Amino acid sequence: MSKVRKIFSWAVMAAMVFGVVFTMRIPVSAATCSNGIKTCTITVKTKANYAIPGSESITLRQTKGVCEKESRGFMGRVKIKSSKQYGTWKVVAESTDRRSVVKKTLSGGSVKLKLKPDKTYRVTVSWDSGAAGFVRLRKGNYTTYPAWEVGSTWKVSECY
């Protein structure tokens, strides 16, 4: 009977640990990625740890979207040319005490924001519709928009 009790207690403990790990990951990934071309704001809390080298930072990365451009070929035939393009996002990280502001543009694969220690930042990521207009002229309309997400963090205690 004691062997069954030990196995049962180990199984319950493993299920609890498994459940806690997955419930901690769901809100973070849901809150730190784009929703189409809408403006999103995330909160980042940095923590000073002088034993670890490097400054506090967060890296945003994006996937390519799909553009399609329609053109007329020989005898009026319609050709659709498809290409993958990065989007252009305006990124502003402002501390809650308003003493530190970092402004960057995410137009390639990723951008790194260097932050100050022991501060809480509101990071606002917004779609740059002006840059999207130039892409529209050259490559056509987006059929699938690019998406951004938090790629990595360094010396960050919370990101939601």
Side-chain angles (χ1 to χ4, degrees):
M1 191 64 154
S2 66
K3 237 182 187 184
V4 172
R5 188 175 288 166
K6 280 185 180 181
I7 292 172
F8 180 75
S9 64
W10 277 103
V12 169
M13 185 176 65
M16 289 176 65
V17 168
F18 189 76
V20 168
V21 167
F22 279 104
T23 56
M24 288 188 321
R25 291 175 122 332
I26 291 170
V28 171
S29 64
T32 58
C33 61
S34 67
N35 183 10
I37 59 172
K38 295 180 181 175
T39 299
C40 293
T41 303
I42 59 174
T43 303
V44 176
K45 293 183 180 180
T46 60
K47 185 175 183 179
N49 186 349
Y50 299 106
I52 299 173
S55 62
E56 294 74 7
S57 66
I58 182 171
T59 302
L60 302 176
R61 66 179 181 208
Q62 70 170 321
T63 59
K64 289 184 176 182
V66 178
C67 291
E68 289 185 353
K69 186 168 186 170
E70 192 176 289
S71 63
R72 301 277 178 191
F74 182 70
M75 301 281 287
R77 290 191 179 178
V78 176
K79 289 184 186 177
I80 297 177
K81 187 174 181 182
S82 181
S83 62
K84 292 188 174 193
Q85 296 292 316
Y86 284 120
T88 303
W89 306 84
K90 295 177 185 175
V91 183
V92 178
E94 184 177 8
S95 64
T96 53
D97 63 2
R98 297 180 185 242
R99 291 186 180 185
S100 176
V101 177
V102 177
K103 294 181 180 182
K104 295 274 185 161
T105 301
L106 173 59
S107 58
S110 66
V111 67
K112 185 175 185 176
L113 306 171
K114 292 186 179 181
L115 308 172
K116 304 247 182 200
D118 292 325
K119 291 196 179 285
T120 301
Y121 286 88
R122 283 198 174 77
V123 180
T124 304
V125 183
S126 57
W127 179 253
D128 188 352
S129 57
F134 287 115
V135 171
R136 191 176 302 116
L137 289 173
R138 290 182 293 126
K139 300 292 182 175
N141 292 325
Y142 279 104
T143 56
T144 304
Y145 285 103
W148 64 268
E149 64 184 3
V150 175
S152 64
T153 60
W154 186 253
K155 292 188 183 181
V156 171
S157 62
E158 291 182 47
C159 181
Y160 54 92

